[in-house]
């Protein structure tokens, strides 16, 4: 069975400082991993996805994530936080199958302090 | 291409009533999944439809049902509403809904408030 753990429910950073949102996963297969962002009262928007092509994945809005198989981690980073990054972020694992086998993390709320 | 659309965006109902939510997937997408999002339980999978057939179902009572039409549009219905059904209901579409590399694209959600 697959699972995903987001290690921090809340992260607070100052504007202009780096962002690190942590995600660990468990899977019996070589999964695909995704990060989604949700702004207040909005749907989820895809930030980036890992599909085994490259371990360092670049996404939108300056975010990137590194897949580390030995650590079963897929942490999301950004060099410099912007006020507009304040949102909730979800790490998602997907396994192969005849239908969508997707598991969402519990989310990390990012606060950006001016 | 237009994104996933959901109607209505907001709903207020009273306990015991029923409600129908609608989702139009991205053109060409045949898989539609529904999720319930609440502050306490997070994102929970309701069900997934592909080619008018329910292919996968989460752990929700039978009051929650859905269907998919031949044009891939989907509806979900909740009967005998309870206070705990107040949530953001999200719809997501993907091409085939199979395989780990497929991306799900989410709609803006329907915010349901049950009084």
């Amino acid at each position: 069975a697959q699972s995903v753990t987001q290690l921090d429910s809340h992260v607070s950073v100052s504007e202009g400082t780096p962002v690190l949102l942590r995600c660990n996963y468990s899977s019996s297969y070589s999964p695909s991993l995704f990060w989604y962002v949700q702004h207040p009262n909005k749907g989820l928007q895809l930030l980036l996805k890992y599909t085994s092509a490259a371990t360092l994945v670049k996404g939108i809005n300056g975010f990137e994530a590194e897949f580390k198989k030995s650590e079963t981690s897929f942490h999301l980073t950004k060099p410099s936080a912007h006020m507009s990054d304040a949102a909730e972020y979800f790490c998602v694992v997907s396994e192969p199958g005849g239908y969508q086998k997707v598991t969402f993390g519990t989310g990390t709320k990012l606060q950006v302090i001016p | 291409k237009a994104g996933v659309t959901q109607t209505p965006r907001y709903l207020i109902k009273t306990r015991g009533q029923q409600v129908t939510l609608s989702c139009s997937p991205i053109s060409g997408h045949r898989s539609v999944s529904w999720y319930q999002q609440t502050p306490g339980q997070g994102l929970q999978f309701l069900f997934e439809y592909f080619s008018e057939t329910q292919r996968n179902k989460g752990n929700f009572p039978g009051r929650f049902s859905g269907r998919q039409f031949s044009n891939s549009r989907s509806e979900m219905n909740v009967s005998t509403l309870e206070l705990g059904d107040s949530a953001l209901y999200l719809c997501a579409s993907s091409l085939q809904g199979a395989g780990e590399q497929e991306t799900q694209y989410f709609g803006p959600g329907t915010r349901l408030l049950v009084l």
Side-chain angles (χ1 to χ4, degrees):
Chain A
Q2 63 188 19
S3 67
V4 59
T5 302
Q6 292 186 241
L7 297 159
D8 307 293
S9 58
H10 289 83
V11 169
S12 186
V13 301
S14 297
E15 191 176 17
T17 64
V19 175
L20 170 64
L21 306 183
R22 299 182 293 163
C23 172
N24 285 108
Y25 72 93
S26 171
S27 174
S28 306
Y29 303 88
S30 294
S32 289
L33 295 157
F34 304 76
W35 276 100
Y36 284 87
V37 60
Q38 184 179 32
H39 288 91
N41 297 312
K42 303 282 188 184
L44 276 70
Q45 179 186 18
L46 179 69
L47 271 180
L48 50 81
K49 88 178 188 184
Y50 166 76
T51 58
S52 77
T55 57
L56 184 62
V57 183
K58 293 190 184 300
I60 62 171
N61 300 335
F63 284 94
E64 62 181 38
E66 186 172 8
F67 174 72
K68 291 187 176 179
K69 188 174 182 178
S70 60
E71 299 175 12
T72 61
S73 69
F74 189 57
H75 300 336
L76 182 70
T77 60
K78 183 174 180 178
S80 176
H82 191 273
M83 293 300 296
S84 61
D85 295 328
E88 189 160 20
Y89 293 78
F90 293 91
C91 182
V92 180
V93 61
S94 178
E95 285 187 341
Y99 54 87
Q100 204 92 46
K101 296 179 73 176
V102 171
T103 301
F104 283 80
T106 51
T108 298
K109 284 189 177 164
L110 176 65
Q111 179 186 21
V112 182
I113 302 166
Chain B
K1 257 186 187 178
V4 179
T5 58
Q6 292 186 246
T7 56
R9 292 293 312 278
Y10 302 93
L11 265 179
I12 299 176
K13 292 285 187 179
T14 55
R15 277 179 298 173
Q17 287 187 309
Q18 76 163 19
V19 67
T20 299
L21 313 181
S22 180
C23 171
S24 292
I26 291 172
S27 177
H29 286 194
R30 297 170 64 191
S31 169
V32 174
S33 296
W34 288 89
Y35 296 86
Q36 182 195 65
Q37 186 178 28
T38 59
Q41 300 296 320
L43 266 159
Q44 293 186 284
F45 172 73
L46 279 155
F47 29 65
E48 186 238 354
Y49 285 86
F50 179 80
S51 289
E52 302 177 63
T53 301
Q54 187 182 91
R55 191 163 60 174
N56 193 14
K57 189 177 188 305
N59 191 26
F60 277 81
R63 300 186 296 107
F64 292 82
S65 62
R67 59 177 175 168
Q68 187 180 34
F69 302 94
S70 58
N71 61 357
S72 295
R73 191 176 70 83
S74 177
E75 290 181 347
M76 70 162 277
N77 185 276
V78 187
S79 62
T80 319
L81 283 166
E82 301 177 358
L83 295 179
D85 297 333
S86 295
L88 181 67
Y89 290 88
L90 292 165
C91 163
S93 77
S94 61
L95 276 168
Q96 300 289 338
E100 72 280 13
Q101 297 195 6
E102 273 210 15
T103 299
Q104 287 189 307
Y105 295 88
F106 284 81
T110 294
R111 172 81 57 188
L112 172 64
L113 176 61
V114 182
L115 301 175

